[in-house]
Amino acid sequence: MRRLLPTFRLLALVALAGSSARCGGGESREEPAEPAATPTPAPALRVVALTDLQGYLEPCGCSQNMLGGIDRFAARVRALQAEAPTLFVAAGDLFFGPEAHGGPTAEDAARWRGETIRDVLGGLGLAAVAPGAEDLAHPAALAVLMEDAAFPLLGVAPEPGGADADDTEEGAPDVTLTPTSLATVGDRTIGILGVTPGAGDLPGAARAAAESLRAQGATLVVALVSGDRRLARDVLAASDAALVVQGGIGRADAMPPSREGSGWIVHGGRQGQGVLVADLHRPGAEGEATDLSAWSVEVDAASLDEEIASLTERLRGWEAEGRTGPAIDRQRARLAALEAERAGLAPPPFPAEGPAFEGRWIALGDDAPKDAAVGERLRTLDRRINAHNREAFAERRPPEVTAGRAGYVGSASCQSCHGEAYAWWQGTPHGRAYATLTELDKEFHLDCVGCHVTGYERPGGSTVTWNLEGALVNVGCETCHGPGSLHVRAPTAHALPAEAPESLCVSCHNEEHSTGFVYAGYSAMLRAPGHGLPSARAATDETAE
């Protein structure tokens, strides 16, 4: 919810607006000149956070301006660290996440990706991580990855004998986590505690951990929480931390800072699509912290815009009905007050005294600079995984075709009857899909190939290495219309679907790979002469006649 103006200010706005204000914003007027902004000094402490990376190294590049990339992340973090004393932390799943596709797994490739994440983030000075449920579900692999890690995994444990002390899931991963860690940033000693998924009194354990950190000389406590917002609030209240970095929720979008008492909760989305930054000015000073975040103002503005649009539409309806009277006048005055509040929204000036906080999320799009050394490591990893998978899955075959069912024959088999459509398809992105992988040394990557070939892991289809020398390379006709062996033999008796359903398209054109996908628009783009539209040849013949 947006932050409300103080009551006296809102009443003053209503009085100034008066009952003569008209629907749609009233009389036009000159906006007052904005005062010169007081420059914000460098923070006493900058917290850079990464949440729910989920083993993600870089976007697939199938759409324009896809966010993320650990090479972009590294470049941005280094720039932020050069500006202010910085603590770099992470919460939520770091190494593992939900699989993008079914089919075979490659433990070696997963380990190499994890090592890349570990080494790159360690090289950026990552201070600590509170791992998520998916990381903890791979205890053996996690233990191997952490052997050479430059940062600890944090997680408090409830005191034995509590009400829920024995309420643990049978077979739960046995991963040793350290409750706390101390970090020196500039001239400050920062205490870091971690809370991970588990049973028992986690807020109580967080309280004890915070007390221990302060006893060891920590002047400020930061909590890393892998869990829901309720747990984050409870941990913040129990530990009296200055900041809670919340992961473990898998939410795609970053969440604007939430003030809870004297502290803040922040979440930076998932998969490293941006960098979460929390700047603390005069931490520990007396008084309530001033929120300098433009991010918070944007949230308030969006809420006001929605409220203004709704009330404007209702007033227009009432005016069209000819309704008048004091009740309508009050709604007009309310609209004018909302518009005045909206026009006045801006981050407050930097306070002369007392603490201040500024949270922001920096998107890592196509224009974000990249760390060249990290980028080269990613390319080396791509080639290594490619070579490994080509050999490891060389003998993998697709399931057999059940007797009487259709199998895959390849798009070239369609050419004799659908030559016009076949020629058009060859020039589409679908017709060139596999080349986009070979150019990047990713044609044998398990999280890529399934969306760039035909019949992947289906009966009589392709695998990561099988049937990819010609017939089923690229996203062919049978991807959308189904396997065509029976149709080729008897076209009339075995007709194929004319269009692909949306459910099929979004198996690849989802938020992970196709950020601007809209089924109706994409379907229209796939209509061409001989493919959903009348044949150009037939139209030419009719014109000649």
Side-chain angles (χ1 to χ4, degrees):
M1 294 181 62
R2 64 183 175 86
R3 295 162 298 168
L4 299 178
L5 289 171
T7 303
F8 72 87
R9 181 180 169 197
L10 183 57
L11 291 174
L13 286 169
V14 172
L16 288 171
S19 62
S20 61
R22 298 184 304 168
C23 175
E27 299 289 339
S28 62
R29 58 188 182 277
E30 275 192 23
E31 296 292 337
E34 292 197 16
T38 302
T40 301
L45 175 67
R46 168 168 290 165
V47 179
V48 170
L50 176 64
T51 60
D52 299 330
L53 183 63
Q54 300 179 336
Y56 192 81
L57 288 175
E58 60 182 341
C60 69
C62 296
S63 295
Q64 290 186 335
N65 202 34
M66 296 185 75
L67 301 180
I70 199 169
D71 50 350
R72 296 171 181 165
F73 186 87
R76 182 65 70 175
V77 169
R78 293 192 194 283
L80 290 165
Q81 289 171 329
E83 297 172 353
T86 300
L87 176 72
F88 174 29
V89 292
D93 291 315
L94 189 66
F95 300 111
F96 302 100
E99 294 294 327
H101 300 288
T105 59
E107 293 183 2
D108 289 338
R111 185 179 72 256
W112 298 334
R113 288 191 177 98
E115 290 170 352
T116 300
I117 292 169
R118 178 197 66 196
D119 295 348
V120 170
L121 299 184
L124 293 172
L126 180 61
V129 179
E134 194 69 31
D135 278 349
L136 296 175
H138 297 79
L142 186 59
V144 170
L145 287 171
M146 293 305 297
E147 285 178 358
D148 297 320
F151 50 86
L153 296 180
L154 301 187
V156 298
E159 289 294 328
D164 298 319
D166 295 326
D167 185 18
T168 56
E169 183 180 349
E170 185 177 353
D174 182 17
V175 177
T176 302
L177 304 175
T178 303
T180 62
S181 180
L182 289 169
T184 302
V185 182
D187 58 356
R188 293 178 180 272
T189 300
I190 310 299
I192 312 169
L193 65 89
V195 177
T196 59
D201 182 12
L202 293 176
R207 180 185 298 109
E211 291 172 355
S212 172
L213 286 167
R214 293 186 176 100
Q216 296 175 65
T219 57
L220 184 146
V221 172
V222 172
L224 312 179
V225 174
S226 181
D228 59 24
R229 184 48 60 107
R230 179 179 178 180
L231 178 60
R233 292 192 184 104
D234 289 347
V235 167
L236 180 58
S239 65
D240 196 26
L243 183 72
V244 167
V245 177
Q246 181 191 13
I249 57 178
R251 179 187 169 108
D253 299 330
M255 297 170 66
S258 171
R259 188 202 303 261
E260 304 286 343
S262 60
W264 303 83
I265 301 175
V266 291
H267 168 72
R270 62 186 172 89
Q271 298 183 338
Q273 296 182 3
V275 182
L276 179 64
V277 183
D279 284 345
L280 282 68
H281 301 269
R282 308 187 193 112
E286 292 294 325
E288 183 175 338
T290 301
D291 185 3
L292 305 172
S293 309
W295 194 359
S296 299
V297 172
E298 291 167 5
V299 173
D300 292 351
S303 177
L304 280 169
D305 286 342
E306 184 177 348
E307 193 172 354
I308 288 169
S310 175
L311 183 53
T312 298
E313 187 62 29
R314 280 182 283 158
L315 279 167
R316 285 174 180 159
W318 294 331
E319 289 177 351
E321 296 169 0
R323 295 173 62 179
T324 59
I328 301 300
D329 291 340
R330 284 195 296 272
Q331 293 303 317
R332 288 180 180 141
R334 177 169 167 258
L335 176 62
L338 290 171
E339 291 174 333
E341 181 182 354
R342 174 66 176 86
L345 280 180
F350 188 78
E353 58 185 20
F357 171 90
E358 182 179 9
R360 55 196 165 113
W361 185 79
I362 305 170
L364 297 175
D366 289 345
D367 58 346
K370 297 181 179 182
D371 184 293
V374 175
E376 181 52 37
R377 174 156 186 168
L378 293 179
R379 301 289 73 77
T380 300
L381 176 64
D382 286 339
R383 292 188 288 269
R384 185 181 188 185
I385 292 174
N386 228 30
H388 171 272
N389 287 357
R390 168 181 257 167
E391 181 177 344
F393 300 113
E395 301 304 319
R396 186 171 180 84
R397 298 291 181 266
E400 295 289 336
V401 178
T402 303
R405 304 297 294 271
Y408 291 89
V409 291
S411 298
S413 299
C414 308
Q415 183 177 11
S416 59
C417 295
H418 304 280
E420 196 171 18
Y422 178 81
W424 163 81
W425 164 79
Q426 286 184 305
T428 66
H430 281 169
R432 304 187 301 270
Y434 199 67
T436 63
L437 296 184
T438 59
E439 291 165 0
L440 298 173
D441 295 309
K442 291 188 175 183
E443 67 267 34
F444 301 113
H445 281 221
L446 302 179
D447 51 355
C448 297
V449 65
C451 284
H452 290 252
V453 298
T454 301
Y456 186 67
E457 291 290 326
R458 297 188 175 277
S462 61
T463 71
V464 64
T465 57
W466 179 254
N467 272 354
L468 298 182
E469 295 300 325
L472 301 184
V473 167
N474 300 316
V475 181
C477 309
E478 294 166 291
T479 299
C480 298
H481 304 289
S485 61
L486 298 181
H487 178 71
V488 168
R489 291 199 295 268
T492 304
H494 298 282
L496 295 176
E499 293 191 8
E502 183 174 4
S503 59
L504 175 63
C505 299
V506 297
S507 63
C508 285
H509 291 281
N510 51 46
E511 64 179 12
E512 300 289 338
H513 313 120
S514 192
T515 54
F517 179 77
V518 177
Y519 177 70
Y522 271 55
S523 295
M525 292 167 56
L526 296 178
R527 294 187 179 94
H531 191 263
L533 295 178
S535 168
R537 185 180 305 163
T540 302
D541 292 343
E542 288 180 7
T543 302
E545 292 176 1

